Amino acid sequence: MCAKGFGQSQPTKIDKLIESAVRYCHKRHPEALDSIFDYLPVNFNQRVVTGILAALQKDIDTLSWFCGYMASEINRSEDNQKPHHPIAELSKTLIESGMEPFTDFMPYPGCRIVILNSEK
């Protein structure tokens, strides 16, 4: 008889979605992220985004890429081959300057960034 996992909580559907989404961010695979976000209710999407942000907190490059994705600048995997992504680069600069995505600034669909905390 094996007690593997006994007494430990099992990953929830949200946990599994966050894990997949983080993996897709690392692989720079926007189509796969679309497959997650396009079919979830808004409250699930918010929880997944929060989980992604927490998981990528120390990975500025991937977090910046994710901000570019959220601003709809990165629409296809082929877009990753372009020399630079202005929104991702701006996001990286803001993060390196001490701003937090979705707290101090937020990617906005249409290749824009909204500054939420102008004090920083």
Side-chain angles (χ1 to χ4, degrees):
M1 185 166 162
C2 182
K4 184 178 181 182
F6 182 74
Q8 297 177 2
S9 62
Q10 297 297 312
T12 64
K13 179 180 180 178
I14 294 292
D15 294 334
K16 291 176 183 177
L17 288 170
I18 291 168
E19 184 179 315
S20 294
V22 168
R23 189 172 49 253
Y24 297 149
C25 286
H26 284 290
K27 291 180 179 180
R28 310 292 202 262
H29 197 321
E31 297 89 352
L33 285 173
D34 289 344
S35 72
I36 291 174
F37 290 122
D38 288 350
Y39 301 104
L40 288 177
V42 172
N43 62 330
F44 274 44
N45 277 340
Q46 291 171 338
R47 291 170 60 191
V48 171
V49 168
T50 300
I52 292 169
L53 295 175
L56 297 178
Q57 189 175 19
K58 304 281 186 203
D59 185 351
I60 293 174
D61 288 329
T62 305
L63 186 55
S64 300
W65 180 88
F66 180 65
C67 287
Y69 166 80
M70 292 300 289
S72 300
E73 180 186 84
I74 302 168
N75 298 312
R76 300 181 315 246
S77 293
E78 294 81 31
D79 291 343
N80 290 316
Q81 307 307 317
K82 292 180 181 177
H84 61 85
H85 300 284
I87 296 297
E89 290 297 319
L90 177 57
S91 296
K92 184 175 181 178
T93 300
L94 293 173
I95 293 166
E96 288 173 339
S97 299
M99 295 184 87
E100 293 184 37
F102 296 88
T103 300
D104 298 323
F105 74 94
M106 184 169 67
Y108 183 78
C111 298
R112 292 177 170 42
I113 286 186
V114 176
I115 302 297
L116 303 172
N117 182 353
S118 59
E119 298 297 318
K120 282 190 172 180

